[in-house]
């Protein structure tokens, strides 16, 4: 970097032509963010013009086809010390294989294809330690690690990771939180999903459903009562008894036991340590668990009286501030497939390299747009500054750094390079491959679209994974589907449940369908109190000229075979419907909302801070009244009543007339949602757009999928 150049210049200031020998490769200058760039090569040539330049043309790592492909790519760079001239020759004297590019339809199918490619190479004699998966970002590595784990292929992650997100550490933290918050059901449910206890998912569903919604402690009463567990007809109630006994015992001791001692007890007595040691990647898991233990020891050095209660609070604080607890693994000493970023692979080499997610916007910059053009004459920018600001992509050198990184990724391989990308993202939107794939000579690459895998794992934008997944349900999964479909038919849908499903299907499953008991937040308690107060006030409405009903409960409404329910905060009878009998009346539906007022455009989804859930509720209520013909009511308008004054003291309401076009659209949405729930079409769903790295409910879904996959792997020889 620049500082090192300066040091050399000072050390050699005594001579215009000092005795210096410098080795470097400008094509691999990928650490510009650390100050290492091609400029340093140029500076050296300028500072010492008499230095002899020697271009090395023999490569002792890669086969010739890989060299040809990588050199054809890097030749597009504008910042090169020397024009690409003579061919880089492989000293291995092997022509080798062409670079293979696989175009898959979705990210899921891409991961599955990489897994299959790794399995094939291992089956053909490749050492797993000589296989590397290279990604641009750390976040793209973990899903593949999970697939390798369930396929019992050893692996190591050789990059700095947030250990709090590692599966082994997550399980340990889940145990800690359940013991610290013993008695609070929201901390119990995750424990029932961790693999070490081997609880049958269907038993877990039945156990959750057994709780008394009026008593948030009823789950613990059942868990610690063997006779109650036996009455639930679980497949293996003794496992639940074991969990209850352990949690109860640890909870009674956690306040008086030092954190390091209690942590050791938890991972040993729960069986978590033995469970991790039985994994092919046990060193990776134990290494991450040791990092958490080291963090606990640090806390104890500051305060020897630290307990796991303090540790749990510390972890909560880190998560709330998005603080990452990073640790780099000693993965190169683990005999498994090696996962890392391209930056982390610098200086390493492998027989086989997989480069994943080779799309525009990940490996190379997204193209498009003319940029922001500023008017001249304002005196704000010089002509040079104005040109560079208004045309950010006009200079090809803007891609040079990214291209060098892709070049480094390709040249890590001795024998084969496999590049993969998905044509569509999780939302079904098309995404383009990185331009670097086009820049590789056709003679040096092969582009393939594996149709057989596409039919099995991928999905087109029109037919999404939610429609195809039910056709792939295995026999064990079908049992859970039937259970959830039965629960759905009994519960039906209300407006809140629908909105919950659309935000996160896994949250809907646990909160709305299985009714996981959860302590109410202060906002929920406040909202309940306001609604109750308004209901009491409206109880005197019989003396008013306007006919009013409050807390109108609607049940027994059926759309096709879908039971719909709802509670309307307030109904105001407006007038008889024109041309109708006395039995048919027009009503105004008022829905109370606490909290900050939302603008009309926000309610209609027309702003960046849009929240269409409130408006969807009004449409839902109109549909309920339309379908409930015995009531003889027709909704003329819906009103969202913000019951708290704004900062200026004003009370706001928003009134909407809802037409049949909107109820028809909602009808189709309800049909699709009911189908997706009853067929488990959301099985592979993962929250991506909530502004969080993880969703606690999606994590439960991930653990559930993992436990079923492991069970299936154990059954399959």
């Amino acid at each position: 970097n620049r500082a090192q150049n300066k040091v050399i210049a000072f050390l050699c200031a005594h001579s215009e032509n000092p005795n210096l020998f410098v080795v470097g490769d400008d094509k691999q200058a990928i650490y510009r963010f650390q100050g290492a760039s091609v400029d340093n090569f140029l500076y050296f040539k300028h500072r010492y013009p008499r230095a002899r330049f020697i271009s090395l043309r023999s490569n002792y790592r890669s086969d010739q086809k890989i060299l040809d492909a990588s050199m054809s790519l890097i030749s597009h760079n504008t910042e090169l010390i020397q024009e690409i001239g003579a061919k880089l020759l492989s000293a291995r004297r092997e022509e080798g294989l062409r670079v293979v590019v696989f175009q898959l339809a979705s990210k899921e199918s891409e991961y599955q294809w990489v897994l299959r490619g790794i399995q094939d190479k291992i089956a053909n004699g490749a050492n797993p330690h000589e296989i590397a998966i290279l990604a641009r970002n750390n976040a793209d590595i973990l899903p593949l690690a999970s697939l390798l784990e369930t396929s019992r292929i050893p692996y190591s992650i050789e990059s700095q990771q947030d250990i709090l997100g590692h599966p082994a550490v997550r399980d340990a933290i889940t145990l800690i939180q359940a013991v610290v918050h013993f008695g609070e059901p929201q901390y119990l449910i995750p424990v029932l999903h961790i693999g070490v206890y081997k609880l049958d998912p269907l038993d877990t569903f039945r156990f959750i459903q057994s709780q008394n919604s009026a008593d948030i402690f009823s789950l613990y009463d059942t868990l610690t009562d063997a006779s109650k567990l036996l009455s639930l007809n679980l497949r293996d109630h003794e496992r639940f008894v074991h969990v209850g006994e352990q949690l109860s015992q640890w909870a009674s001791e956690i306040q008086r036991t030092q954190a390091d001692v209690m942590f050791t007890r938890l991972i040993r007595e729960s069986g978590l340590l033995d469970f991790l040691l039985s994994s092919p990647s046990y060193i990776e898991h134990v290494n991450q668990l040791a990092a958490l233990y080291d963090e606990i020891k640090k806390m104890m050095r500051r305060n020897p009286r630290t307990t796991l209660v303090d540790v749990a609070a510390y972890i909560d604080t880190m998560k709330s501030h998005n603080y990452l607890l990073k640790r780099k693994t000693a993965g190169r000493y683990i005999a498994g497939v090696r996962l890392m970023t391209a930056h982390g692979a610098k200086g390493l080499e492998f027989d086989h390299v997989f480069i994943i997610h080779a799309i525009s916007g990940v490996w190379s910059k997204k193209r498009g747009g003319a940029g922001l053009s500023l008017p001249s004459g304002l005196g704000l920018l010089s002509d040079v500054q104005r040109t560079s600001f208004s045309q950010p992509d006009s200079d090809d050198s803007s891609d040079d750094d990214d291209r060098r990184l892709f070049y480094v990724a390709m040249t890590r391989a001795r024998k084969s390079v496999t590049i993969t990308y998905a044509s569509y993202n999780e939302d079904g939107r098309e995404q383009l491959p990185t331009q670097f794939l086009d820049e590789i000579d056709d003679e040096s690459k092969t582009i393939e679209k594996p149709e057989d895998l596409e039919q099995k794992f991928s999905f087109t934008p029109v037919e999404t994974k939610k429609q195809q997944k039910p056709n792939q349900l295995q026999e064990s999964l079908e049992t859970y589907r039937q259970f959830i479909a039965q629960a759905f038919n009994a519960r039906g849908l209300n407006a809140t449940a629908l909105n919950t499903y659309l935000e996160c299907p896994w949250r809907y499953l646990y909160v709305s369908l299985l009714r996981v008991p959860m302590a109410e937040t202060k906002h929920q308690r406040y909202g309940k109190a306001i609604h109750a107060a308004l209901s009491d006030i409206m109880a005197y409405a019989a003396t008013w000229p306007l006919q009013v009903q409050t807390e109108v409960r609607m049940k027994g409404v059926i759309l096709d075979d879908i039971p719909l329910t709802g509670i309307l905060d307030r109904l105001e009878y407006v007038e008889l419907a024109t041309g109708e009998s006395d039995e048919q009346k027009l009503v105004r539906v008022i829905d109370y909302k606490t909290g900050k007022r939302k603008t009309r455009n926000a309610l209609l989804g027309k702003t960046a801070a849009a929240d269409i859930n409130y408006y969807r509720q009004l449409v839902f209520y109109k549909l309920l009244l339309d379908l409930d013909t015995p009531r003889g009511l027709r909704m003329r308008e819906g009103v969202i009543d913000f019951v708290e004054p704004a900062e200026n003291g004003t009370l706001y309401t928003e009134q909407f007339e809802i037409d049949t076009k909107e109820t028809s659209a909602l009808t189709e949405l309800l049909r699709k949602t009911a189908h997706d729930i009853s067929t488990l079409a959301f099985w592979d769903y993962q929250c991506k757009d909530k502004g969080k790295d993880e969703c606690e409910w999606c994590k439960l879904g991930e653990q559930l999928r993992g436990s079923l996959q492991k069970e299936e792997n154990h059954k399959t020889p």
Side-chain angles (χ1 to χ4, degrees), residues 431-500:
Q431 52 191 15
L432 299 176
T434 173
Q435 68 191 61
F436 301 153
L437 301 186
D438 288 333
E439 294 174 359
I440 300 173
D441 282 347
D442 291 340
E443 293 78 11
S444 303
K445 69 185 177 189
T446 301
I447 299 178
E448 295 188 13
K449 183 177 180 180
E451 299 291 343
D452 58 330
L453 193 71
E454 292 292 288
Q455 295 173 3
K456 186 175 182 182
F457 292 109
S458 67
F459 321 95
T460 65
V462 179
E463 288 191 2
T464 66
K465 61 184 177 187
K466 295 182 177 179
Q467 295 168 318
Q468 293 194 11
K469 182 65 181 177
N471 298 328
Q472 304 167 18
L473 291 176
Q474 300 173 348
E475 190 173 320
S476 57
L477 187 55
E478 176 65 16
T479 305
Y480 309 127
R481 187 202 66 77
Q482 291 174 2
F483 176 84
I484 290 172
Q486 183 180 3
F488 172 73
N489 291 333
R491 299 278 191 199
L493 271 177
N494 58 38
T496 302
L498 174 63
N499 286 334
T500 301

Side-chain angles (χ1 to χ4, degrees), residues 179 182 224 243-253:
V179 176
F182 187 77
T224 54
V243 174
E245 290 175 345
Q246 282 198 331
L247 293 178
S248 180
Q249 179 65 32
W250 294 330
S252 68
E253 301 176 13

Side-chain angles (χ1 to χ4, degrees), residues 495 566-568 589 591 617-625 635:
I567 301 177
L568 312 186
V589 175
D591 194 33
Q617 281 185 292
L618 292 182
V619 181
F620 191 95
Y621 295 151
K622 176 171 172 55
L623 181 62
L624 271 178
L625 291 171
M635 178 171 150

Side-chain angles (χ1 to χ4, degrees), residues 56-59 64 67-68 71 86-90 407:
L56 303 178
R57 294 297 177 184
S58 295
N59 180 287
Q64 191 61 52
L67 295 179
D68 292 345
M71 292 299 283
K87 187 175 183 179
L88 194 61
L89 298 176
S90 172
Y407 171 86

Side-chain angles (χ1 to χ4, degrees), residues 20-33:
L20 279 179
F21 176 70
V22 178
V23 179
D25 186 352
D26 58 300
K27 301 185 294 300
Q28 298 188 52
I30 61 174
Y31 292 104
R32 185 186 291 270
F33 56 87

Side-chain angles (χ1 to χ4, degrees), residues 25 53 72 92 117 156 166 186 295 299-300 360 375 398-399 433 489 538 605 639 657-658 670 686:
D25 186 352
F53 186 88
S72 67
R92 290 167 54 86
S156 65
H166 191 277
Q186 63 265 41
E295 198 68 21
M299 293 180 66
M300 292 198 65
S360 176
S398 62
D399 291 315
N489 291 333
M538 292 300 162
V639 179
E657 291 185 7
I658 298 167
L670 287 167
Q686 190 81 25

